[in-house]
Amino acid sequence: MRSVPTTSLDLTAAEFVADPYPFFAEERARHEVAWHEASGMYLTFSHATVSTVQRTRTLGRLWKDKEPTDYLEPFNLLHRNQMMENEPPEHTRLRRPVASAFARGHVERLRPRVRELAHQLLDEVAGQDFDLIEAYAEPLPVLVIAELLGVPASYAHSLRDWSQAIVRMYEPAPSQPVVDAAVAAATDFAGLVRELLTERRARPADDLMSDLAVTELSEDEQVAAVVLLLNAGHEASVNVFGNGAVGMLRRGLRPGADVALTVEEMLRFDSALQLFERTATEPVTVGDVLVEPGQKIAALLGAANRDPAVFDRPDELDVDRDPNPHLAFGVGVHFCLGAPLARMELVESVGALFDRYPGLTLAGEPESRGTFVLRGFRRVPVTAQGG
C-alpha cells in the first residue's frame, strides 16, 4: 500500500504568514497533496488538486458548531444558517433567494455610486500622504455593500470592526481574546440586522435587505445571509485591493490599458483568501491521495494561483496577463456570489486611484494584518503625487 505524503508546514509561523509562496513552491515540488497533522487535514498545493477540491460534490462544506456551544452560539448561529457552510439541497435553498435578489440589477445600478464614492474619498486626501487602506481601500467597499443591502452609512465603522473580529476566528488556533471578540461582534451584528429586517418588513425600500426580508428563509437564515453578504462583500475587496496595490507599488507598476485584466492579476498574484476547507462525504481521490469519509481537505488557493504548470512566470505580477484562470473566487456550487460586485468595485476603484495619482508611491513599509487564511494589510502608507 502506497504511503500518504505528509507535510510539517507551520501555518502560524511568522515567516510563512509574511510570504507563504516560497513554502508553497517547495511543497508543490514534492507533492500535490499532503497530510498535515497539525491541522488534521490534507493540504492541496497544485492548481489541479485545488480545482478538484472545489469542484467535487462529495467534498462538502459541513458545518460543525464551535465549542463550547453555549458560549459560541452567537458565532455558530451566523454560520450554521448560511449558504457557505452548507451543501445542496440546503445550500441551494439558502442561496437561491440571495442570488435572485442579486439578479434584480442591484449590482450594476451601483457602478455610478462606486465612481462617486471613489472620487469623494480621493478628494479627501488630495495633496496629502495617506494610508491607502484606511482612507480608500476599506471605506469604499464597506459603504457600497452597506448601501446595496440598505444598512445606514453611519454603521460603516462598526461593520468593519465586527467583520474583522468574526473572520479572525477562521485562522489556525484562535486565542481566547479572539474568540471573545468574535462572540461579541456576532451578537451585536445580528442584533442590528434583526432590527433592520423588522423595519424593512414594515417599510420596504429599494435594497437587497428588503428583498430578503420577504423570502421564505427563516429570520435566523435571513440574518445569516445579510451578515455573510456584508462580511464577504467587503473583506475580499479590501484585501485584494491592498495586496494588489502593494504588489504593483513595490515593483513600480501601474494598471494596464485594460484595468479589468489588472484586477484579475491582483486576484491571482496575492490571494486574499488562502485556505478553504472541505470534508469528504464519500471516498474520493484527489491527486494520488484517497480521502476517506469524514476526513478534511483544504484548497490552498494562493498555492494554486502560483502553479507554474498553469501560469507562465507565476511569481511575476503581470498587469496584462491573459488568460488568467485563477481560482480566487472558487468554482462549482460555492463560486463566490459577490464576484461581479467585487470585480466592478475593483475595476472602478483601481482605475480611479491611478488616474488621480499616476505617481503614487509607497511612503513606508506596509503593515501586514499578520493573518494567513484571510491575507491582507492593516496599513499601507503612500505618497500621492499629482491629482
Side-chain angles (χ1 to χ4, degrees):
M1 182 176 175
R2 190 171 182 272
S3 62
V4 173
T6 62
T7 175
S8 57
L9 198 60
D10 184 354
L11 305 182
T12 64
E15 187 181 14
F16 172 79
V17 173
D19 184 6
Y21 301 107
F23 296 91
F24 290 156
E26 291 176 10
E27 295 290 337
R28 193 189 307 107
R30 290 196 289 267
H31 37 235
E32 289 187 290
V33 185
W35 176 255
H36 187 241
E37 185 64 33
S39 62
M41 59 186 171
Y42 288 101
L43 303 180
T44 54
F45 299 98
S46 70
H47 191 280
T49 54
V50 169
S51 183
T52 296
V53 170
Q54 291 184 319
R55 293 180 187 277
T56 302
R57 295 290 294 274
T58 51
L59 292 173
R61 292 286 290 183
L62 304 179
W63 176 256
K64 182 179 179 181
D65 280 353
K66 305 291 185 185
E67 296 182 343
T69 54
D70 287 348
Y71 179 60
L72 280 162
E73 176 56 17
F75 178 85
N76 288 331
L77 182 143
L78 295 182
H79 293 76
R80 184 192 311 129
N81 292 291
Q82 70 174 227
M83 70 184 84
M84 196 172 73
E85 302 295 352
N86 284 276
E87 289 298 308
E90 193 69 358
H91 172 273
T92 307
R93 183 183 68 80
L94 294 169
R95 183 178 174 114
R96 185 182 295 117
V98 182
S100 176
F102 260 94
R104 294 190 183 108
H106 286 303
V107 172
E108 194 53 38
R109 75 173 171 81
L110 281 172
R111 187 181 294 272
R113 179 61 174 150
V114 171
R115 291 174 181 164
E116 180 184 6
L117 283 170
H119 289 294
Q120 285 179 1
L121 292 168
L122 292 172
D123 286 343
E124 291 174 9
V125 296
Q128 307 173 35
D129 290 357
F130 61 95
D131 176 2
L132 189 57
I133 302 299
E134 182 183 39
Y136 190 63
E138 220 170 56
L140 193 150
V142 174
L143 290 168
V144 170
I145 192 65
E147 189 163 320
L148 175 67
L149 279 151
V151 178
S154 58
Y155 288 104
H157 287 296
S158 295
L159 297 177
R160 186 66 180 142
D161 290 345
W162 292 335
S163 174
Q164 290 199 338
I166 289 170
V167 302
R168 287 188 71 88
M169 281 285 284
Y170 306 154
E171 299 298 321
S175 66
Q176 191 58 48
V178 168
V179 174
D180 294 341
V183 170
T187 301
D188 292 343
F189 209 159
L192 172 65
V193 172
R194 287 187 199 281
E195 290 178 12
L196 294 174
L197 283 166
T198 299
E199 290 178 11
R200 290 306 187 281
R201 291 186 195 104
R203 293 178 297 278
D206 184 19
D207 55 45
L208 205 147
M209 197 168 337
S210 294
D211 294 338
L212 287 174
V214 294
T215 64
E216 68 276 14
L217 299 180
S218 70
E219 182 172 286
D220 282 348
E221 290 166 350
Q222 291 172 3
V223 169
V226 171
V227 170
L228 173 63
L229 290 172
L230 284 165
N231 284 356
H234 75 269
E235 277 291 340
S237 294
V238 173
N239 295 324
V240 169
F241 188 103
N243 295 356
V246 168
M248 284 192 284
L249 293 173
R250 278 179 170 161
R251 293 161 178 78
L253 298 173
R254 296 295 179 267
D258 186 343
V259 179
L261 289 181
T262 300
V263 165
E264 296 305 311
E265 181 68 343
M266 293 167 71
L267 286 157
R268 180 201 73 85
F269 180 74
D270 197 3
S271 302
L273 175 62
Q274 290 281 332
L275 183 150
F276 198 65
E277 182 185 299
R278 300 289 180 91
T279 303
T281 57
E282 297 178 11
V284 56
T285 299
V286 180
D288 294 330
V289 170
L290 178 65
V291 185
E292 300 286 359
Q295 289 187 319
K296 295 181 178 182
I297 186 167
L300 294 179
L301 305 179
N305 289 338
R306 294 285 190 103
D307 189 343
V310 175
F311 302 98
D312 184 36
R313 299 168 289 108
D315 295 321
E316 291 185 23
L317 198 164
D318 179 357
V319 297
D320 298 311
R321 188 181 294 272
D322 187 28
N324 192 343
H326 66 76
L327 300 175
F329 285 126
V331 291
V333 298
H334 287 287
F335 178 78
C336 178
L337 189 62
L341 174 62
R343 283 183 161 119
M344 182 270 284
E345 283 180 354
L346 287 163
V347 167
E348 296 297 337
S349 58
V350 169
L353 175 68
F354 285 96
D355 283 348
R356 179 73 66 92
Y357 299 118
L360 194 74
T361 57
L362 289 172
E365 183 59 26
E367 180 185 340
S368 169
R369 285 174 58 173
T371 51
F372 162 60
V373 176
L374 287 164
R375 179 172 167 80
F377 288 95
R378 181 178 291 113
R379 183 172 178 271
V380 178
V382 293
T383 294
Q385 302 172 20

